[in-house]
CSV table of all heavy atoms in Angstrom, one decimal:
chain,number,residue,atom,x,y,z
A,12,MET,N,72.5,114.7,35.6
A,12,MET,CA,71.7,113.6,36.1
A,12,MET,C,70.3,113.9,36.0
A,12,MET,O,69.8,115.0,36.5
A,12,MET,CB,72.1,113.3,37.5
A,12,MET,CG,71.3,112.2,38.1
A,12,MET,SD,71.5,112.0,39.9
A,12,MET,CE,72.7,110.7,40.0
A,13,ARG,N,69.5,113.0,35.5
A,13,ARG,CA,68.0,113.2,35.3
A,13,ARG,C,67.3,112.7,36.6
A,13,ARG,O,67.6,111.7,37.2
A,13,ARG,CB,67.5,112.4,34.1
A,13,ARG,CG,66.1,112.7,33.8
A,13,ARG,CD,65.7,112.1,32.5
A,13,ARG,NE,64.3,112.4,32.4
A,13,ARG,CZ,63.6,111.9,31.4
A,13,ARG,NH1,64.1,111.0,30.6
A,13,ARG,NH2,62.3,112.2,31.3
A,14,GLU,N,66.4,113.5,37.0
A,14,GLU,CA,65.6,113.2,38.2
A,14,GLU,C,64.6,112.1,37.9
A,14,GLU,O,64.1,112.0,36.8
A,14,GLU,CB,64.8,114.5,38.6
A,14,GLU,CG,64.1,114.4,39.9
A,14,GLU,CD,63.5,115.7,40.3
A,14,GLU,OE1,63.8,116.8,39.7
A,14,GLU,OE2,62.8,115.7,41.3
A,15,GLN,N,64.4,111.2,38.9
A,15,GLN,CA,63.4,110.2,38.8
A,15,GLN,C,62.0,110.7,38.6
A,15,GLN,O,61.7,111.7,39.2
A,15,GLN,CB,63.4,109.3,40.0
A,15,GLN,CG,62.4,108.2,40.0
A,15,GLN,CD,62.4,107.4,41.3
A,15,GLN,OE1,63.3,107.4,42.0
A,15,GLN,NE2,61.3,106.7,41.5
A,16,VAL,N,61.3,110.1,37.7
A,16,VAL,CA,59.9,110.6,37.4
A,16,VAL,C,59.0,109.5,37.7
A,16,VAL,O,59.1,108.3,37.2
A,16,VAL,CB,59.8,111.0,35.9
A,16,VAL,CG1,58.4,111.4,35.6
A,16,VAL,CG2,60.8,112.1,35.6
A,17,ASP,N,58.0,109.7,38.6
A,17,ASP,CA,56.9,108.8,38.9
A,17,ASP,C,55.7,109.4,38.3
A,17,ASP,O,55.5,110.6,38.3
A,17,ASP,CB,56.7,108.7,40.4
A,17,ASP,CG,57.8,108.0,41.2
A,17,ASP,OD1,58.5,107.2,40.5
A,17,ASP,OD2,58.1,108.3,42.4
A,18,VAL,N,54.8,108.5,37.8
A,18,VAL,CA,53.5,108.9,37.3
A,18,VAL,C,52.5,108.6,38.3
A,18,VAL,O,52.4,107.4,38.8
A,18,VAL,CB,53.2,108.2,36.0
A,18,VAL,CG1,51.8,108.6,35.5
A,18,VAL,CG2,54.2,108.6,34.9
A,19,ILE,N,51.8,109.6,38.8
A,19,ILE,CA,50.8,109.4,39.9
A,19,ILE,C,49.5,110.1,39.5
A,19,ILE,O,49.6,111.0,38.6
A,19,ILE,CB,51.3,110.0,41.2
A,19,ILE,CG1,51.6,111.5,41.1
A,19,ILE,CG2,52.5,109.2,41.7
A,19,ILE,CD1,52.0,112.1,42.5
A,20,GLU,N,48.4,109.8,40.1
A,20,GLU,CA,47.2,110.5,39.9
A,20,GLU,C,46.9,111.2,41.3
A,20,GLU,O,47.1,110.6,42.3
A,20,GLU,CB,46.0,109.6,39.6
A,20,GLU,CG,46.1,109.1,38.2
A,20,GLU,CD,44.8,108.4,37.8
A,20,GLU,OE1,43.7,109.0,37.9
A,20,GLU,OE2,44.9,107.3,37.4
A,21,VAL,N,46.6,112.5,41.2
A,21,VAL,CA,46.3,113.2,42.5
A,21,VAL,C,44.9,113.9,42.4
A,21,VAL,O,44.6,114.5,41.4
A,21,VAL,CB,47.4,114.3,42.7
A,21,VAL,CG1,47.1,115.1,44.0
A,21,VAL,CG2,48.8,113.8,42.6
A,22,CYS,N,44.2,113.7,43.5
A,22,CYS,CA,42.9,114.3,43.6
A,22,CYS,C,43.1,115.8,44.0
A,22,CYS,O,43.7,116.1,45.0
A,22,CYS,CB,42.0,113.6,44.6
A,22,CYS,SG,40.4,114.5,44.9
A,23,GLU,N,42.7,116.7,43.1
A,23,GLU,CA,42.9,118.1,43.4
A,23,GLU,C,42.1,118.6,44.6
A,23,GLU,O,42.5,119.6,45.2
A,23,GLU,CB,42.5,119.0,42.2
A,23,GLU,CG,43.5,118.7,41.0
A,23,GLU,CD,43.1,119.5,39.8
A,23,GLU,OE1,42.7,120.7,40.0
A,23,GLU,OE2,43.3,119.0,38.7
A,24,GLU,N,41.0,117.9,45.0
A,24,GLU,CA,40.2,118.4,46.1
A,24,GLU,C,40.8,117.9,47.4
A,24,GLU,O,40.7,118.7,48.4
A,24,GLU,CB,38.8,117.9,45.9
A,24,GLU,CG,38.1,118.5,44.8
A,24,GLU,CD,36.7,118.0,44.6
A,24,GLU,OE1,36.1,117.3,45.5
A,24,GLU,OE2,36.1,118.2,43.5
A,25,CYS,N,41.3,116.7,47.5
A,25,CYS,CA,41.7,116.2,48.8
A,25,CYS,C,43.2,115.8,48.9
A,25,CYS,O,43.6,115.3,49.9
A,25,CYS,CB,40.8,115.0,49.2
A,25,CYS,SG,41.0,113.5,48.2
A,26,ASP,N,44.0,116.0,47.8
A,26,ASP,CA,45.4,115.7,47.8
A,26,ASP,C,45.7,114.2,48.0
A,26,ASP,O,46.7,113.8,48.6
A,26,ASP,CB,46.2,116.5,48.8
A,26,ASP,CG,46.2,118.0,48.4
A,26,ASP,OD1,45.9,118.3,47.2
A,26,ASP,OD2,46.6,118.8,49.2
A,27,THR,N,44.8,113.3,47.6
A,27,THR,CA,45.0,111.9,47.7
A,27,THR,C,45.8,111.5,46.4
A,27,THR,O,45.6,112.0,45.3
A,27,THR,CB,43.7,111.1,47.7
A,27,THR,OG1,42.9,111.5,48.8
A,27,THR,CG2,43.8,109.6,47.7
A,28,VAL,N,46.8,110.5,46.6
A,28,VAL,CA,47.7,110.1,45.6
A,28,VAL,C,47.5,108.6,45.3
A,28,VAL,O,47.4,107.8,46.2
A,28,VAL,CB,49.1,110.3,46.0
A,28,VAL,CG1,50.1,109.7,45.0
A,28,VAL,CG2,49.4,111.8,46.2
A,29,TRP,N,47.4,108.3,44.0
A,29,TRP,CA,47.4,106.9,43.6
A,29,TRP,C,48.6,106.7,42.7
A,29,TRP,O,48.8,107.5,41.7
A,29,TRP,CB,46.1,106.5,42.8
A,29,TRP,CG,44.9,106.5,43.7
A,29,TRP,CD1,44.5,105.5,44.5
A,29,TRP,CD2,44.0,107.6,43.9
A,29,TRP,NE1,43.3,105.9,45.2
A,29,TRP,CE2,43.1,107.2,44.8
A,29,TRP,CE3,44.0,108.9,43.4
A,29,TRP,CZ2,42.0,108.0,45.3
A,29,TRP,CZ3,43.0,109.8,43.9
A,29,TRP,CH2,42.0,109.3,44.8
A,30,LEU,N,49.4,105.7,42.9
A,30,LEU,CA,50.5,105.4,42.0
A,30,LEU,C,50.1,104.8,40.7
A,30,LEU,O,49.0,104.2,40.6
A,30,LEU,CB,51.5,104.4,42.7
A,30,LEU,CG,52.0,104.9,44.1
A,30,LEU,CD1,52.8,103.8,44.7
A,30,LEU,CD2,52.8,106.2,44.0
A,31,GLU,N,50.9,104.9,39.7
A,31,GLU,CA,50.6,104.4,38.4
A,31,GLU,C,50.3,102.9,38.5
A,31,GLU,O,51.0,102.2,39.2
A,31,GLU,CB,51.8,104.6,37.4
A,31,GLU,CG,51.6,104.2,36.0
A,31,GLU,CD,52.7,104.5,35.1
A,31,GLU,OE1,53.9,104.5,35.6
A,31,GLU,OE2,52.5,104.7,33.9
A,32,GLY,N,49.2,102.5,37.9
A,32,GLY,CA,48.8,101.1,37.9
A,32,GLY,C,47.8,100.8,39.1
A,32,GLY,O,47.2,99.7,39.1
A,33,GLN,N,47.7,101.6,40.1
A,33,GLN,CA,46.8,101.4,41.2
A,33,GLN,C,45.4,101.8,40.7
A,33,GLN,O,45.2,102.8,40.0
A,33,GLN,CB,47.1,102.2,42.4
A,33,GLN,CG,48.2,101.7,43.3
A,33,GLN,CD,48.4,102.5,44.5
A,33,GLN,OE1,48.3,103.7,44.5
A,33,GLN,NE2,48.6,101.8,45.6
A,34,SER,N,44.4,101.1,41.2
A,34,SER,CA,43.0,101.4,41.0
A,34,SER,C,42.7,102.7,41.8
A,34,SER,O,43.2,102.8,43.0
A,34,SER,CB,42.0,100.4,41.5
A,34,SER,OG,42.3,99.2,40.8
A,35,VAL,N,42.0,103.6,41.2
A,35,VAL,CA,41.6,104.8,41.9
A,35,VAL,C,40.4,104.5,42.8
A,35,VAL,O,39.3,104.4,42.4
A,35,VAL,CB,41.3,106.0,41.0
A,35,VAL,CG1,40.8,107.2,41.7
A,35,VAL,CG2,42.5,106.3,40.1
A,36,SER,N,40.8,104.2,44.1
A,36,SER,CA,39.7,103.8,45.1
A,36,SER,C,40.2,104.2,46.4
A,36,SER,O,41.4,104.5,46.6
A,36,SER,CB,39.4,102.3,45.0
A,36,SER,OG,40.5,101.6,45.6
A,37,MET,N,39.4,104.1,47.4
A,37,MET,CA,39.8,104.4,48.8
A,37,MET,C,40.5,103.2,49.4
A,37,MET,O,40.9,103.3,50.6
A,37,MET,CB,38.6,104.9,49.6
A,37,MET,CG,38.0,106.2,49.1
A,37,MET,SD,39.2,107.5,48.9
A,37,MET,CE,39.7,107.9,50.5
A,38,ASP,N,40.6,102.1,48.7
A,38,ASP,CA,41.2,100.9,49.3
A,38,ASP,C,42.8,101.0,49.2
A,38,ASP,O,43.5,100.4,49.9
A,38,ASP,CB,40.8,99.6,48.6
A,38,ASP,CG,39.3,99.4,48.8
A,38,ASP,OD1,38.8,99.7,49.9
A,38,ASP,OD2,38.6,98.8,48.0
A,39,ALA,N,43.2,101.7,48.2
A,39,ALA,CA,44.7,101.8,47.9
A,39,ALA,C,45.0,103.3,47.6
A,39,ALA,O,44.8,103.7,46.4
A,39,ALA,CB,45.1,100.9,46.8
A,40,TYR,N,45.6,104.0,48.5
A,40,TYR,CA,46.0,105.4,48.3
A,40,TYR,C,46.9,105.8,49.3
A,40,TYR,O,47.2,105.2,50.3
A,40,TYR,CB,44.7,106.3,48.3
A,40,TYR,CG,44.2,106.6,49.6
A,40,TYR,CD1,44.6,107.6,50.4
A,40,TYR,CD2,43.2,105.7,50.2
A,40,TYR,CE1,44.1,107.9,51.7
A,40,TYR,CE2,42.7,105.9,51.4
A,40,TYR,CZ,43.1,107.0,52.2
A,40,TYR,OH,42.6,107.2,53.4
A,41,THR,N,47.5,107.0,49.1
A,41,THR,CA,48.3,107.7,50.1
A,41,THR,C,48.0,109.1,50.0
A,41,THR,O,47.3,109.6,49.1
A,41,THR,CB,49.8,107.4,50.0
A,41,THR,OG1,50.6,107.9,51.1
A,41,THR,CG2,50.4,108.0,48.7
A,42,ASP,N,48.4,109.9,51.0
A,42,ASP,CA,48.2,111.4,50.9
A,42,ASP,C,49.4,112.1,50.3
A,42,ASP,O,50.6,111.5,50.3
A,42,ASP,CB,48.0,111.9,52.3
A,42,ASP,CG,46.7,111.4,52.9
A,42,ASP,OD1,45.7,111.4,52.2
A,42,ASP,OD2,46.7,111.1,54.1
A,43,LEU,N,49.2,113.2,49.7
A,43,LEU,CA,50.3,113.9,49.0
A,43,LEU,C,51.5,114.3,49.9
A,43,LEU,O,52.6,114.1,49.5
A,43,LEU,CB,49.7,115.2,48.3
A,43,LEU,CG,50.7,115.9,47.4
A,43,LEU,CD1,51.1,115.1,46.2
A,43,LEU,CD2,50.0,117.2,46.9
A,44,ASP,N,51.2,114.8,51.1
A,44,ASP,CA,52.3,115.2,51.9
A,44,ASP,C,53.3,114.1,52.2
A,44,ASP,O,54.5,114.3,52.0
A,44,ASP,CB,51.8,115.8,53.3
A,44,ASP,CG,51.1,117.1,53.1
A,44,ASP,OD1,51.0,117.7,51.9
A,44,ASP,OD2,50.6,117.7,54.1
A,45,PRO,N,52.9,112.9,52.7
A,45,PRO,CA,53.9,111.9,53.0
A,45,PRO,C,54.5,111.3,51.7
A,45,PRO,O,55.7,110.9,51.7
A,45,PRO,CB,53.1,110.8,53.8
A,45,PRO,CG,51.7,111.1,53.7
A,45,PRO,CD,51.6,112.6,53.3
A,46,TYR,N,53.7,111.3,50.6
A,46,TYR,CA,54.3,110.8,49.4
A,46,TYR,C,55.5,111.7,48.9
A,46,TYR,O,56.6,111.3,48.6
A,46,TYR,CB,53.3,110.7,48.3
A,46,TYR,CG,53.9,110.4,46.9
A,46,TYR,CD1,54.2,109.1,46.6
A,46,TYR,CD2,54.2,111.4,46.0
A,46,TYR,CE1,54.8,108.8,45.4
A,46,TYR,CE2,54.8,111.1,44.8
A,46,TYR,CZ,55.1,109.7,44.5
A,46,TYR,OH,55.7,109.4,43.3
A,47,MET,N,55.2,113.0,48.9
A,47,MET,CA,56.2,114.0,48.5
A,47,MET,C,57.4,114.0,49.4
A,47,MET,O,58.6,114.0,49.0
A,47,MET,CB,55.6,115.4,48.3
A,47,MET,CG,54.6,115.5,47.2
A,47,MET,SD,55.2,115.2,45.6
A,47,MET,CE,56.1,116.7,45.3
A,48,SER,N,57.2,113.9,50.7
A,48,SER,CA,58.3,113.8,51.7
A,48,SER,C,59.1,112.6,51.5
A,48,SER,O,60.3,112.7,51.6
A,48,SER,CB,57.7,113.8,53.1
A,48,SER,OG,57.1,115.1,53.4
A,49,GLY,N,58.5,111.5,51.1
A,49,GLY,CA,59.2,110.2,50.9
A,49,GLY,C,60.1,110.3,49.7
A,49,GLY,O,61.0,109.5,49.6
A,50,ILE,N,59.8,111.2,48.7
A,50,ILE,CA,60.7,111.3,47.6
A,50,ILE,C,61.6,112.5,47.7
A,50,ILE,O,62.3,112.9,46.7
A,50,ILE,CB,60.0,111.3,46.2
A,50,ILE,CG1,59.0,112.5,46.1
A,50,ILE,CG2,59.3,110.0,46.0
A,50,ILE,CD1,58.4,112.6,44.7
A,51,GLY,N,61.6,113.1,48.9
A,51,GLY,CA,62.5,114.3,49.1
A,51,GLY,C,62.1,115.6,48.6
A,51,GLY,O,62.9,116.5,48.3
A,52,LYS,N,60.8,115.8,48.4
A,52,LYS,CA,60.2,117.0,47.8
A,52,LYS,C,59.2,117.6,48.8
A,52,LYS,O,58.6,116.9,49.5
A,52,LYS,CB,59.5,116.8,46.5
A,52,LYS,CG,60.3,116.2,45.4
A,52,LYS,CD,61.2,117.2,44.8
A,52,LYS,CE,61.9,116.7,43.6
A,52,LYS,NZ,62.8,117.7,43.0
A,53,GLU,N,59.1,118.9,48.7
A,53,GLU,CA,58.1,119.6,49.5
A,53,GLU,C,56.7,119.3,48.8
A,53,GLU,O,56.6,119.3,47.6
A,53,GLU,CB,58.3,121.1,49.6
A,53,GLU,CG,59.5,121.4,50.4
A,53,GLU,CD,59.5,122.9,50.7
A,53,GLU,OE1,58.5,123.5,51.2
A,53,GLU,OE2,60.6,123.5,50.5
A,54,PRO,N,55.7,119.1,49.6
A,54,PRO,CA,54.3,118.8,49.1
A,54,PRO,C,53.6,120.0,48.5
A,54,PRO,O,52.6,120.5,49.0
A,54,PRO,CB,53.6,118.3,50.3
A,54,PRO,CG,54.2,118.9,51.5
A,54,PRO,CD,55.7,119.1,51.1
A,55,LEU,N,54.2,120.5,47.4
A,55,LEU,CA,53.7,121.7,46.7
A,55,LEU,C,53.2,121.3,45.3
A,55,LEU,O,53.9,120.5,44.6
A,55,LEU,CB,54.8,122.8,46.6
A,55,LEU,CG,55.4,123.3,47.9
A,55,LEU,CD1,56.6,124.2,47.6
A,55,LEU,CD2,54.4,123.9,48.8
A,56,TRP,N,52.1,121.9,44.9
A,56,TRP,CA,51.6,121.6,43.5
A,56,TRP,C,52.7,122.0,42.5
A,56,TRP,O,52.8,121.4,41.4
A,56,TRP,CB,50.3,122.3,43.3
A,56,TRP,CG,49.2,121.5,43.9
A,56,TRP,CD1,48.7,121.7,45.2
A,56,TRP,CD2,48.5,120.4,43.4
A,56,TRP,NE1,47.7,120.8,45.4
A,56,TRP,CE2,47.5,120.0,44.4
A,56,TRP,CE3,48.6,119.7,42.2
A,56,TRP,CZ2,46.7,118.9,44.2
A,56,TRP,CZ3,47.7,118.6,42.0
A,56,TRP,CH2,46.8,118.3,43.0
A,57,SER,N,53.5,123.0,42.8
A,57,SER,CA,54.5,123.4,41.8
A,57,SER,C,55.6,122.4,41.6
A,57,SER,O,56.4,122.5,40.7
A,57,SER,CB,55.1,124.8,42.3
A,57,SER,OG,55.7,124.6,43.6
A,58,ASN,N,55.7,121.4,42.5
A,58,ASN,CA,56.7,120.3,42.4
A,58,ASN,C,56.1,119.2,41.5
A,58,ASN,O,56.8,118.2,41.3
A,58,ASN,CB,57.1,119.8,43.7
A,58,ASN,CG,58.1,120.7,44.4
A,58,ASN,OD1,58.9,121.4,43.7
A,58,ASN,ND2,58.1,120.7,45.7
A,59,LEU,N,54.9,119.3,41.0
A,59,LEU,CA,54.3,118.3,40.2
A,59,LEU,C,54.2,118.8,38.8
A,59,LEU,O,54.0,120.0,38.5
A,59,LEU,CB,52.9,118.0,40.7
A,59,LEU,CG,52.8,117.5,42.1
A,59,LEU,CD1,51.3,117.3,42.5
A,59,LEU,CD2,53.5,116.1,42.3
A,60,GLU,N,54.3,117.9,37.8
A,60,GLU,CA,54.2,118.3,36.4
A,60,GLU,C,52.9,117.6,35.8
A,60,GLU,O,52.9,116.4,35.7
A,60,GLU,CB,55.4,117.9,35.6
A,60,GLU,CG,55.4,118.2,34.2
A,60,GLU,CD,56.6,117.7,33.4
A,60,GLU,OE1,57.7,117.6,34.1
A,60,GLU,OE2,56.5,117.5,32.2
A,61,PRO,N,51.9,118.3,35.5
A,61,PRO,CA,50.7,117.7,35.0
A,61,PRO,C,50.9,117.1,33.6
A,61,PRO,O,51.6,117.6,32.8
A,61,PRO,CB,49.7,118.8,34.9
A,61,PRO,CG,50.4,120.1,34.9
A,61,PRO,CD,51.8,119.8,35.6
A,62,LEU,N,50.3,115.9,33.4
A,62,LEU,CA,50.3,115.2,32.1
A,62,LEU,C,48.9,115.3,31.5
A,62,LEU,O,47.9,115.3,32.2
A,62,LEU,CB,50.7,113.8,32.2
A,62,LEU,CG,52.1,113.5,32.8
A,62,LEU,CD1,52.3,112.0,33.0
A,62,LEU,CD2,53.2,114.0,31.8
A,63,GLU,N,48.8,115.2,30.2
A,63,GLU,CA,47.5,115.1,29.6
A,63,GLU,C,47.0,113.8,29.9
A,63,GLU,O,47.7,112.8,29.9
A,63,GLU,CB,47.7,115.3,28.1
A,63,GLU,CG,48.3,116.6,27.6
A,63,GLU,CD,47.2,117.6,27.3
A,63,GLU,OE1,46.1,117.3,27.0
A,63,GLU,OE2,47.6,118.8,27.4
A,64,ARG,N,45.7,113.7,30.1
A,64,ARG,CA,45.1,112.3,30.3
A,64,ARG,C,45.4,111.4,29.1
A,64,ARG,O,45.3,111.8,28.0
A,64,ARG,CB,43.6,112.4,30.4
A,64,ARG,CG,43.1,113.0,31.7
A,64,ARG,CD,41.8,112.3,32.1
A,64,ARG,NE,41.4,112.7,33.5
A,64,ARG,CZ,41.7,112.0,34.5
A,64,ARG,NH1,42.4,110.8,34.4
A,64,ARG,NH2,41.3,112.3,35.7
A,65,GLY,N,45.9,110.2,29.4
A,65,GLY,CA,46.2,109.3,28.4
A,65,GLY,C,47.6,109.4,27.9
A,65,GLY,O,48.1,108.6,27.1
A,66,ALA,N,48.4,110.4,28.4
A,66,ALA,CA,49.7,110.6,27.9
A,66,ALA,C,50.6,109.5,28.5
A,66,ALA,O,50.4,109.1,29.6
A,66,ALA,CB,50.3,112.0,28.3
A,67,GLN,N,51.6,109.1,27.7
A,67,GLN,CA,52.5,108.0,28.2
A,67,GLN,C,53.9,108.7,28.3
A,67,GLN,O,54.3,109.5,27.5
A,67,GLN,CB,52.6,106.9,27.2
A,67,GLN,CG,51.3,106.2,26.9
A,67,GLN,CD,50.9,105.4,28.2
A,67,GLN,OE1,51.7,104.8,28.8
A,67,GLN,NE2,49.6,105.6,28.5
A,68,ARG,N,54.7,108.2,29.3
A,68,ARG,CA,56.1,108.7,29.4
A,68,ARG,C,57.0,107.7,28.8
A,68,ARG,O,56.9,106.6,28.8
A,68,ARG,CB,56.4,108.8,30.9
A,68,ARG,CG,55.9,110.1,31.5
A,68,ARG,CD,57.1,110.7,32.2
A,68,ARG,NE,56.8,112.0,32.7
A,68,ARG,CZ,57.4,113.1,32.3
A,68,ARG,NH1,58.3,113.1,31.4
A,68,ARG,NH2,57.2,114.2,32.9
């Protein structure tokens, strides 16, 4: 079974998360800890897979 994959943007300095399609702004964001907990993962950078900028899934 393949794991669900979400494409998100994460600020490396403050661990702010924006979901794919959201504007990167302070009006619409969540924090990495509750986002990762919500998908059943520990909020560790090792649980994220970086994509090249502009890469499509």
Side-chain angles (χ1 to χ4, degrees):
M12 174 192 263
R13 187 172 179 187
E14 190 172 349
Q15 177 182 340
V16 176
D17 292 332
V18 176
I19 60 173
E20 288 192 54
V21 182
C22 173
E23 294 180 37
E24 293 178 14
C25 66
D26 292 347
T27 300
V28 173
W29 293 273
L30 302 177
E31 184 176 30
Q33 281 184 319
S34 299
V35 176
S36 73
M37 294 311 290
D38 294 331
Y40 72 94
T41 189
D42 293 316
L43 185 63
D44 288 1
Y46 174 79
M47 295 297 284
S48 295
I50 62 170
K52 300 282 185 182
E53 289 193 50
L55 304 172
W56 283 93
S57 60
N58 284 330
L59 301 175
E60 180 181 333
L62 298 175
E63 300 266 338
R64 284 214 174 267
Q67 300 293 315
R68 277 232 178 242

